[in-house]
Each structure stands twice: as structure tokens, then as C-alpha cells.
Amino acid sequence: MNVFRRIFGSSPEPTLKPEFDASVAQRLAAAGKDPTRVEATPAELLEMPEKPAMAGFKGMVRLELTLDGGGKVVSVQMDGAPFDQVSTLESWAENWVFAPAKMEDNTHPCRMVFEITWS
């Protein structure tokens, strides 16, 4: 099953456009490059373990994942998670598999945000 359909339901896959945070844009500018003209592709979610059941919880959790240059999740920040489920959600997100982000044919670290709903 398509990963985005498992996360977001039957709606079509979102279109992801690479956006550079301020620090990346500054480094590009310092190197004399225009961030709007740099060839880049975002990390691609390849595999996500089954979403954990959270009995009694209904709502949305916002996950901000920091990926290293190889696409491995190295940090998880979240908003909206029940306190007693934070470690479960961190472990779950750390096991997601990504193809790494690329900029000018080189892999690089990045951040990705996902909003996951439990109903």
C-alpha cells in the first residue's frame, strides 16, 4: 500500500517542493548560488511501520523529523502527542525509512514534517 495513503487516507499524494530553511539558503548565498535555481529533491518516505494504536486518543500529532545525510531519522520533535505515548511515537518515527534528500547530486541532512491523525 502506498505510504502516503496509509498516512493520509485515500487522498492523492501531496506534492513536495523542496524548501530551504534560512541556514541552508544563507550557505547557498555565501557560496554565490541562488537557492531558487539549485537542483534539489526532498527526502522520500519509502517505508513506514504500521501506525501505533493509541487507545482513547483522537486527534492530530505533528512530527518533525530530522534526517541525516543518509536519510536516517536522528531526531524526533512532536506536538499534540499524549504524554504517555511520546516514547512509543518516537520509536515508531525513528524506524521510518527514507531515501536521502539531495542537493546538486549530493545527499544532505534535512527536516520533514508530518501531521498524523488518529480517529
Side-chain angles (χ1 to χ4, degrees):
M1 175 180 258
N2 181 297
V3 172
F4 285 104
R5 288 212 170 97
R6 278 196 356 213
I7 295 172
F8 301 107
S10 61
S11 56
E13 293 180 14
T15 301
L16 298 175
K17 179 182 177 191
E19 292 185 13
F20 300 116
D21 64 25
S23 64
V24 174
Q26 289 171 350
R27 287 196 311 265
L28 289 170
K33 298 179 181 181
D34 179 356
T36 63
R37 297 183 177 268
V38 172
E39 184 179 325
T41 56
E44 178 185 354
L45 181 57
L46 301 175
E47 183 179 329
M48 181 185 74
E50 191 68 32
K51 185 167 76 170
M54 294 198 297
F57 175 72
K58 292 184 181 187
M60 190 265 303
V61 176
R62 182 181 182 272
L63 298 171
E64 182 178 320
L65 309 180
T66 302
L67 310 178
D68 67 12
K72 179 177 174 18
V73 177
V74 294
S75 174
V76 179
Q77 300 293 320
M78 67 185 78
D79 290 322
F83 182 74
D84 62 338
Q85 296 293 325
V86 169
S87 63
T88 298
L89 291 172
E90 284 176 343
S91 296
W92 173 59
E94 288 169 351
N95 286 299
W96 294 14
V97 177
F98 289 87
K102 290 187 176 186
M103 182 168 26
E104 297 184 321
D105 291 326
N106 296 311
T107 61
H108 69 93
C110 69
R111 284 183 297 228
M112 301 199 63
V113 176
F114 294 88
E115 294 179 341
I116 313 294
T117 302
W118 278 262
S119 52

